[in-house]
């Protein structure tokens, strides 16, 4: 088989982890598979780079000095633990040292300018993966495999210039990636490509958004028309619920792209929201696997047609740290443009809306945003909406959470919502807001934060998700 294997930050957190990863790659290689490896930064490094950029912007040279020291030590120690052969250790240490020197110069540059643009931030963020890829590549050489490392840019991933959340120019990318990587596969060389980073057509480094290595993996997979994309992480797969809330939660063996996308959007952390698109378009199955339990087959994400529709509801997720805003006023009835004004204000302030509902009486529009944006949203809405005789009041509720249930089998199945809300009502839990998209793959509703976990357990039980 031709496979893309992506390893996340926790899979390459240190030298021992990297050895496990190298072993997995070697096993799949010796079974005769053609492999492209995509790798994230060592666990936590991207967050540290963001912090360092902010300190650099403040001109904090001491912080930069200490940070560079720490990051150098961590990567050199990782090399020591992951790689045995002295000459390889030396070679890759030199590569890493020179990348870190470049990083130090960039941070010092930012500190002198006192300015951090999205473009320069992307440049800084690229260093996490630029450092991890050579280390993984050399750990493959260390166990006798042939390998070469590439940045996403050098592998041919081209994007627009929307720094921080760049979108691939997919046709150009497919062409370039194929040209770049296929000759290596034909020679039995395993390319190790940095996840997350790409470049504009002019060659400036971009990033694909947080968690973007998954996206890199599916972009490369689609370009090479591989048989499957494996996302190696630190859990057995996608689960029916958070096991911390529902101890009997199970790993789902199989789920459709659309279900997985609805889950990823609703905070089932781990997957980049757009990561599945390239694979879905090409019909390439994506498998979530556990680096630390490679015997487990994980969760397979495939086209819906190939899936058994036995289970109506597949999973239930809880989203915390959100707030509800209601815009009320009888003047809104029959007044076109109110909703557009509300969402226009939010959009202009860069505030993302997670969930929307409007009653048919039109006297109320409610929506959910992430809690940290509440203050900004309230003041922006008050300034632009109050005092015109249309909106009477704008209220907020902070102690709430969203519960979302996902399952393609809900489409066209009557009675699911009744069962759902019955199960919640039996626990004496009040439902504050409800929304179902016309895709019918997801029903979301809002309850008090204190009721969230109990509601999740009740739903998990009602739909028999542990079985
Ligand atoms: N290192 C990047 C991040 O932490 C990309 C990734 O891990 O997928 O967001
Ligand atoms: Mg990461």
């Amino acid at each position: 088989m031709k496979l893309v294997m992506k390893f996340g930050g926790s899979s390459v957190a240190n030298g021992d982890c990297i050895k496990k990863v190298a072993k997995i790659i070697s096993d799949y290689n010796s079974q005769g598979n053609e492999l492209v490896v995509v790798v994230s930064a060592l666990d936590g490094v991207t967050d540290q780079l963001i912090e360092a950029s902010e300190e650099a912007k403040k001109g904090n040279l001491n912080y930069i000095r200490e940070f560079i020291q720490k990051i150098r030590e961590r990567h050199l120690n990782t090399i020591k633990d992951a790689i045995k052969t002295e000459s390889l250790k030396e070679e890759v240490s030199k590569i890493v040292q020179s990348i870190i020197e470049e990083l130090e110069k960039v941070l010092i540059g930012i500190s002198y300018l006192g300015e951090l643009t999205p473009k320069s931030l992307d440049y800084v963020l690229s260093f996490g993966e630029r450092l991890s890829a050579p280390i993984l590549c050399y750990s493959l050489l260390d166990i006798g495999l042939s390998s070469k490392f590439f940045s996403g840019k050098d592998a041919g991933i081209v994007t627009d210039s929307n720094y921080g959340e760049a979108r691939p120019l997919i046709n150009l990318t497919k062409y370039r990636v194929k040209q770049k990587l296929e000759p290596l596969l034909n020679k039995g060389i395993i390319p190790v490509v940095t996840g997350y980073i790409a470049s504009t057509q002019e060659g400036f480094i971009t990033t694909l958004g947080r968690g973007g290595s998954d996206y890199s993996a599916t972009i490369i997979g689609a370009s090479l028309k591989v048989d499957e994309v494996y996302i190696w992480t630190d859990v057995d797969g996608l689960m029916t619920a958070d096991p911390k809330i529902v101890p009997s939660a199970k790993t789902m063996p199989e789920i459709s792209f659309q279900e997985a996308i609805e889950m990823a959007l609703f905070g089932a952390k781990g997957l980049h929201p757009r990561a599945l698109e390239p694979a879905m378009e090409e019909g390439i199955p994506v498998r979530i696997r556990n680096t630390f339990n490679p015997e487990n087959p994980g969760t397979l994400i495939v086209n819906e047609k190939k899936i058994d529709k036995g289970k109506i509801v597949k999973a239930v997720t809880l989203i915390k740290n959100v707030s509800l805003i209601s815009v009320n006023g009888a003047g809104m009835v029959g007044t076109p443009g109110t909703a557009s004004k509300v969402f226009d204000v939010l959009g202009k302030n860069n505030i993302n809306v997670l969930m929307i509902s409007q009653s048919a009486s039109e006297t109320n529009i409610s929506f959910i945003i992430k809690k940290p944006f509440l203050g900004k949203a309230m003041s922006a809405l008050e300034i632009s909406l109050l005092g015109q005789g249309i909106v009477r009041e704008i209220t907020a509720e902070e102690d709430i959470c969203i519960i979302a249930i996902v399952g393609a089998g809900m489409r066209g199945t009557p009675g699911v919502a009744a069962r759902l809300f019955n199960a919640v009502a039996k626990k004496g839990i009040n439902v504050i807001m409800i929304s179902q998209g016309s895709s019918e793959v997801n029903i979301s509703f809002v309850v008090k934060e204190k009721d969230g976990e109990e509601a999740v357990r009740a739903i998990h039980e009602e739909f028999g998700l542990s079985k």
Side-chain angles (χ1 to χ4, degrees):
M1 287 210 294
K2 204 188 264 186
L3 300 171
V4 172
M5 293 202 178
K6 176 259 171 176
F7 294 89
S10 56
S11 297
V12 293
N14 56 44
D16 283 335
C17 296
I18 290 181
K19 275 199 258 179
K20 285 201 180 77
V21 167
K23 168 86 170 56
I24 290 173
I25 294 171
S26 151
D27 287 348
Y28 275 89
N29 178 69
S30 62
Q31 290 156 16
N33 300 295
E34 287 181 290
L35 304 176
V36 177
V37 173
V38 174
V39 69
S40 287
L42 307 199
D43 200 23
V45 168
T46 307
D47 288 327
Q48 290 162 12
L49 287 167
I50 291 177
E51 225 178 296
S53 318
E54 270 149 21
E55 291 302 319
K57 182 180 161 190
K58 291 185 212 150
N60 193 344
L61 285 168
N62 277 334
Y63 188 97
I64 299 176
R65 207 169 300 125
E66 274 170 37
F67 169 72
I68 289 292
Q69 177 98 19
K70 262 201 302 205
I71 203 133
R72 182 183 289 130
E73 223 167 87
R74 173 154 181 211
H75 285 86
L76 292 179
N77 282 335
T78 303
I79 292 173
K80 258 186 227 145
D81 296 337
I83 298 168
K84 270 206 238 70
T85 318
E86 278 308 321
S87 57
L88 292 173
K89 237 190 247 184
E90 238 170 71
E91 219 177 295
V92 70
S93 297
K94 272 197 202 131
I95 295 170
V96 160
Q97 293 269 25
S98 88
I99 296 172
I100 288 176
E101 270 162 37
E102 186 187 332
L103 171 61
E104 185 171 19
K105 282 186 201 142
V106 175
L107 290 173
I108 290 174
I110 290 170
S111 77
Y112 281 124
L113 289 170
E115 186 184 69
L116 182 66
T117 62
K119 186 173 172 182
S120 46
L121 180 60
D122 267 6
Y123 187 24
V124 174
L125 292 184
S126 74
F127 281 88
E129 275 76 9
R130 283 177 61 200
L131 287 165
S132 64
I135 300 179
L136 180 55
C137 170
Y138 272 74
S139 74
L140 298 181
L141 298 177
D142 192 47
I143 55 171
L145 302 174
S146 310
S147 177
K148 262 200 177 125
F149 67 90
F150 294 88
S151 73
K153 171 183 169 178
D154 295 333
I157 303 178
V158 192
T159 66
D160 60 16
S161 55
N162 184 20
Y163 295 98
E165 200 75 46
R167 302 246 180 171
L169 309 177
I170 199 72
N171 291 327
L172 183 58
T173 294
K174 280 181 178 170
Y175 173 75
R176 288 209 193 164
V177 168
K178 201 168 159 191
Q179 266 201 331
K180 197 80 201 194
L181 299 184
E182 211 150 63
L184 292 154
L185 295 182
N186 293 338
K187 282 188 239 158
I189 299 169
I190 302 171
V192 175
V193 184
T194 63
Y196 186 45
I197 60 185
S199 83
T200 64
Q201 272 176 291
E202 296 78 32
F204 295 113
I205 286 184
T206 53
T207 66
L208 302 172
R210 293 306 306 272
S213 299
D214 298 329
Y215 201 12
S216 310
T218 55
I219 292 167
I220 293 171
S223 305
L224 298 171
K225 299 212 187 309
V226 298
D227 296 296
E228 282 191 18
V229 173
Y230 288 7
I231 307 279
W232 292 89
T233 176
D234 56 4
V235 292
D236 282 338
L238 299 175
M239 300 196 71
T240 54
D242 181 346
K244 281 188 224 111
I245 299 172
V246 185
S248 64
K250 289 264 169 332
T251 306
M252 293 179 274
E254 221 179 47
I255 144 171
S256 72
F257 280 112
Q258 201 188 358
E259 289 167 329
I261 286 170
E262 300 268 0
M263 282 186 72
L265 288 178
F266 271 96
K269 48 196 167 299
L271 273 174
H272 184 289
R274 287 195 306 277
L276 293 173
E277 281 169 14
M280 186 165 71
E281 273 159 25
E282 294 285 346
I284 298 169
V286 174
R287 222 180 256 280
I288 314 287
R289 304 285 307 267
N290 189 349
T291 300
F292 306 99
N293 185 17
E295 274 73 49
N296 193 298
T299 298
L300 180 66
I301 308 173
V302 285
N303 274 333
E304 201 183 305
K305 289 187 255 18
K306 296 188 183 144
I307 276 197
D308 132 54
K309 298 235 169 47
K311 276 239 160 68
I312 296 170
V313 172
K314 292 251 173 82
V316 46
T317 52
L318 176 64
I319 301 121
K320 289 188 185 163
N321 204 21
V322 290
S323 303
L324 182 149
I325 297 180
S326 292
V327 176
N328 307 307
M332 287 157 54
V333 180
T335 308
T338 317
S340 102
K341 217 175 267 164
V342 169
F343 296 112
D344 190 48
V345 169
L346 296 170
K348 286 203 173 113
N349 283 281
N350 254 326
I351 297 166
N352 188 35
V353 177
L354 298 173
M355 191 175 157
I356 303 171
S357 137
Q358 181 189 280
S359 59
S361 76
E362 300 180 45
T363 56
N364 164 297
I365 299 174
S366 306
F367 53 89
I368 307 283
I369 58 171
K370 291 210 170 122
K371 204 181 266 180
F373 294 103
L374 181 61
K376 191 172 161 191
M378 287 299 281
S379 65
L381 289 168
E382 282 170 359
I383 289 167
S384 34
L385 294 178
L386 290 181
Q388 297 166 12
I390 297 171
V391 169
R392 183 173 39 82
E393 60 166 4
I394 302 171
T395 58
E397 264 187 81
E398 283 193 76
D399 53 345
I400 51 130
C401 59
I402 306 176
I403 294 170
I405 66 170
V406 176
M410 295 196 289
R411 194 183 300 131
T413 307
V416 180
R419 266 175 81 186
L420 170 68
F421 292 117
N422 229 326
V424 174
K426 264 195 243 149
K427 300 285 175 190
I429 296 170
N430 183 39
V431 175
I432 300 169
M433 172 179 165
I434 302 173
S435 145
Q436 179 187 283
S438 58
S439 75
E440 297 184 44
V441 171
N442 179 316
I443 299 176
S444 306
F445 63 96
V446 172
V447 298
K448 286 272 182 214
E449 191 160 18
K450 67 169 176 40
D451 295 330
E453 300 199 351
E454 199 185 351
V456 168
R457 283 189 286 269
I459 296 162
H460 203 271
E461 172 79 31
E462 170 65 30
F463 290 98
L465 301 188
S466 316
K467 284 174 212 128

